[in-house]
Amino acid sequence: MSDNNKNEEPTLEQVDIAKERVAADSFMAALPGLLILIIAAIMAFYTNQQSGTPMPLSLVLGVIGVALLGYGIFRATRIKAIEGHAIDCPFCEKTNVLTAAPQSDFRCTHCNRDVPVENGVVLRVYQVRCGYCNTLNYYSDKSTGLICESCDREIPIATDEETTAKKVFESYTIHDDNQPYDLILTAAPKSDEMIACLQQMLALNRNQVKDIIDDLPQTLLTGIPKKKAELLTAQIAVHKGRAESKVSGT
């Protein structure tokens, strides 16, 4: 036997599913044999009634039917040979009964999570809450990174080194822009709606807002988060004004 065959990992499967598959295979193998035996018996009965000797065709069909039926029964006996290996899921703590001891990660049928396995040993999992949405997440020693299951943001976890897999992993996460932004008003009509919007936004009186509109462009706010700048820009656009945001100091 070659080294490749020795190191080949057995196919993992839930025991119940494996037994159902073998039972279905054995039934499909035995069913044609049973039907052929019935046909052969009917042919033999009528030929005996007419000539007293069975037709050679009925004998051939009988042999084929017995062979197929025996093969189906033989396959059915393999159900008892399927052994179960009970593995507890570290996430939901429910038991998975597999056809072989796992040598690599497998999916739990109860919680649908990938169970981490290394050198045939199920690894311990750790819990951590997302700092953004407070959702509980899990990771193991094999994890190169962690994305929140709820908000898709990266949750920092301790790793030994900055691997290539981790760099690729980070490209699929949401990253917040924490830089300060300036909000600049570039165009605005002197409508009552626009003046009221800017009054509420800047906490100024009506005359001060009119002075700003008369001398555009004007920096309205500085050092605000990007999301706030985008929200205020949208409010100004509703009243037919235009504003832009840029990183502070640029």
Side-chain angles (χ1 to χ4, degrees):
M1 184 180 294
S2 64
D3 292 339
N4 291 336
N5 291 333
K6 288 180 180 179
N7 297 329
E8 186 176 352
E9 183 179 341
T11 302
L12 286 181
E13 194 175 11
Q14 295 289 331
V15 167
D16 292 341
I17 296 176
K19 289 183 177 181
E20 290 176 1
R21 177 178 52 78
V22 173
D25 290 345
S26 62
F27 175 77
M28 294 304 296
L31 182 60
L34 182 61
L35 294 176
I36 291 174
L37 279 177
I38 293 174
I39 294 172
I42 294 173
M43 291 178 62
F45 174 78
Y46 281 106
T47 53
N48 280 332
Q49 292 291 328
Q50 294 177 1
S51 61
T53 57
M55 291 179 60
L57 179 59
S58 63
L59 295 176
V60 173
L61 290 176
V63 172
I64 295 174
V66 170
L68 290 175
L69 185 61
Y71 177 68
I73 294 173
F74 169 74
R75 288 183 65 92
T77 59
R78 294 176 55 192
I79 295 177
K80 295 182 178 179
I82 298 176
E83 297 182 355
H85 296 261
I87 305 294
D88 291 333
C89 173
F91 297 101
C92 64
E93 299 181 352
K94 294 184 179 179
T95 302
N96 293 263
V97 183
L98 307 177
T99 54
Q103 298 299 317
S104 61
D105 298 357
F106 68 93
R107 188 171 293 274
C108 174
T109 57
H110 303 286
C111 65
N112 207 34
R113 298 177 186 270
D114 286 334
V115 178
V117 178
E118 193 170 61
N119 298 325
V121 178
V122 176
L123 299 180
R124 177 185 175 186
V125 296
Y126 306 94
Q127 298 179 350
V128 60
R129 288 195 177 275
C130 175
Y132 297 94
C133 65
N134 203 38
T135 299
L136 187 63
N137 291 264
Y138 301 88
Y139 70 97
S140 69
D141 291 334
K142 292 180 68 175
S143 302
T144 57
L146 183 62
I147 296 178
C148 177
E149 297 178 1
S150 179
C151 67
D152 290 335
R153 288 183 170 87
E154 183 181 8
I155 302 174
I157 58 175
T159 54
D160 293 336
E161 57 183 4
E162 186 76 8
T163 61
T164 302
K166 180 173 175 60
K167 293 178 181 178
V168 175
F169 174 88
E170 290 177 349
S171 65
Y172 290 93
T173 60
I174 295 175
H175 297 276
D176 287 333
D177 189 347
N178 296 320
Q179 299 181 94
Y181 278 76
D182 295 342
L183 180 65
I184 303 170
L185 182 65
T186 58
K190 277 190 176 181
S191 62
D192 291 338
E193 293 81 4
M194 175 58 72
I195 293 173
C197 174
L198 294 177
Q199 277 187 272
Q200 183 178 7
M201 186 183 301
L202 304 174
L204 299 176
N205 60 42
R206 188 177 182 86
N207 291 331
Q208 289 173 318
V209 170
K210 286 183 177 180
D211 291 340
I212 291 175
I213 295 176
D214 288 337
D215 189 18
L216 297 178
Q218 286 279 359
T219 300
L220 301 181
L221 296 168
T222 61
I224 61 175
K226 182 180 181 181
K227 289 183 178 180
K228 183 176 181 179
E230 292 174 346
L231 177 62
L232 297 179
T233 300
Q235 290 181 2
I236 292 172
V238 169
H239 302 294
K240 300 181 180 180
R242 290 197 308 272
E244 61 183 29
S245 58
K246 66 176 184 177
V247 178
S248 298
T250 59

